[in-house]
Amino acid sequence: MTMSLTELSGAPTPEPTTAANTPARPARRASPFGALLLRLHFYAGILVAPFLVVAALTGLAYTTTPQLDAILYGDQLTVAQVGDRPLPLAEQIGTARNAHPDGSIAIVQSGDGDQSTRVTFSLPELGEKQHTVYVDPYTAQVKGQLTTWFGSTPATTWLDDLHRNLHLGVVGRHYSELAASWLWVIALGGVILWWRRRSANRATARHLLVPDLSAGKGVRRTRGWHATTGIWLTVGLLFLSATGLTWSRYAGANFGAGLDALQARAPEISTSLTTDPAVPAAAEGGHEHGAAAAGGVVVSAIFDQVSTAARAAGLSGPVEIAPAAEPGSAWTVTQVDNTWPIAKDRVAVDPATGTITARSDFADWSLLAQLSGLGIQAHMGILFGPVNQILLAALALGLLCVIVWGYRMWWQRRPTRTDRRSLAGTTPARGGVRSLPLWSLLIGVPVIAAIGWALPLFGLTLLAFLVIDVVVGAVSRRRRPAAVPTFPAPAGS
């Protein structure tokens, strides 16, 4: 048996209607599902919204990184004048090594168009970070050096850390995972609540996607802006939630385990050689430049040979050339064009003979691996260039507006009577869980448990909310004064 919101809140039961007081429209009875969803949406919005605000602001800042890099490092990342053809990589790497005599060459990204060639050096004291020397591919002039993280400039790295963990390391990653874990719940819950209101009110139905501007200046108008904007943002917010969770600490680990179980990760390319390769001798005029990742000597002339082999195999655009991780292994060449249509094909090249020993094309990846790769680039604002940045910025600004309107509704619903003033509105009535039918609990509890296992921070915080809510409800019922029974007066008194 279901209970109305009036019964759940403990308010007095209205008198039976008569012909004299029959309302124009019968009072709507709230289902236990609606009551529970409303309460969950309300508390999630109030308690998780601060985390979403931080994620939206830091994400909005991150969308500006391409332009910020151009302003701060444009003289290093690009060349002023594009020549007819680039100089050999050996010559470019030679000038980079002269400017950076320490460390081992980890990656060389050839210059393409007006982009500088990037020669990246690994040093043990830098940990995950590296030094990247930027070289004009047409003059072999060194244009500068930056400390990079997976190719990202210092400014991009700083904003990435701010968005991901607030510069608090592993502990800070909990904030972003909590925000991503609840974002999809809040978004879908808001859509369902607005749809229920739409189906019950023809006036609202006309404003499912357009706010009701005739609603005055109170909570009704604010709710219209809050709901309709949320509807427009739903698909984008679900996308941000899903892609953000793939990078998170706990949910991301579960996502990775799922990809492993389904064999849906981006395939590794084999760098093993069937025969022991001959160690290529340094060509006359070539340059020996430091240790490779495994301690071997890297001859800069080999980069040209490996690059030529990869180009002949069909790899175009900007590519990264990585020396072998171990002696006697193949080098890898990877396309690094992350804008649509992306180019992520890879080949393994025998550095001694220049022959292709293995190949991995993006078109041959599993669907999940392709979607994961595309989702990462879109989440970072790279996939569609400036259009991608504009969409992400619009999502962030829209989310901030929805949150502000949500808090405003809470404030507008506050009691304003002199004897009942409050700084905020009342909370939705509790009791929805107790009123749910048994079949919904038998289905819902395992489903919620599975989601909580996959998204641990969501599961823990949801459990904490339910426990606290039940305890507070029990305490409130015990403190509520019991009704004093009344009896009719004895006859003749």
Side-chain angles (χ1 to χ4, degrees), residues 10-207:
T13 303
E15 297 180 0
T17 59
T18 63
N21 64 2
T22 300
R25 179 179 296 173
R28 182 186 175 207
R29 296 177 63 87
S31 71
F33 298 103
L36 178 61
L37 181 59
L38 178 63
R39 190 168 177 82
L40 181 63
H41 184 76
F42 171 82
Y43 274 112
I46 295 297
L47 301 176
V48 180
F51 297 95
L52 294 175
V53 168
V54 174
L57 289 175
T58 56
L60 181 63
Y62 187 82
T63 62
T64 66
T65 52
Q67 289 73 29
L68 188 62
D69 281 349
I71 294 172
L72 297 178
Y73 316 112
D75 57 340
Q76 301 175 59
L77 302 177
T78 58
V79 298
Q81 184 175 357
V82 177
D84 294 333
R85 58 181 303 176
L87 295 172
L89 285 176
E91 188 171 345
Q92 299 179 53
I93 295 170
T95 59
R97 172 56 81 185
N98 291 335
H100 193 287
D102 301 321
S104 59
I105 298 178
I107 290 174
V108 173
Q109 180 175 327
S110 60
D112 183 71
D114 65 345
Q115 300 297 307
S116 301
T117 295
R118 307 178 184 190
V119 184
T120 302
F121 297 89
S122 294
L123 292 91
E125 60 268 23
L126 294 179
E128 284 189 340
K129 294 186 177 181
Q130 299 168 315
H131 285 163
T132 298
V133 177
Y134 299 88
V135 181
D136 187 325
Y138 307 103
T139 65
Q141 176 186 0
V142 173
K143 301 180 66 62
Q145 172 185 313
L146 296 173
T147 300
T148 56
W149 182 67
F150 293 101
S152 297
T153 65
T156 296
T157 301
W158 192 90
L159 288 173
D160 179 79
D161 282 341
L162 181 67
H163 179 60
R164 199 160 50 105
N165 57 35
L166 301 179
H167 294 283
L168 298 176
V170 174
V171 174
R173 294 182 65 184
H174 295 156
Y175 114 84
S176 57
E177 183 167 355
L178 182 66
S181 297
W182 277 96
L183 179 57
W184 67 275
V185 179
I186 296 173
L188 288 181
V191 170
I192 296 172
L193 289 172
W194 190 235
W195 180 265
R196 290 181 71 251
R197 180 177 289 272
R198 168 198 180 281
S199 63
N201 188 332
R202 292 182 179 179
T204 308
R206 294 196 301 268
H207 300 288

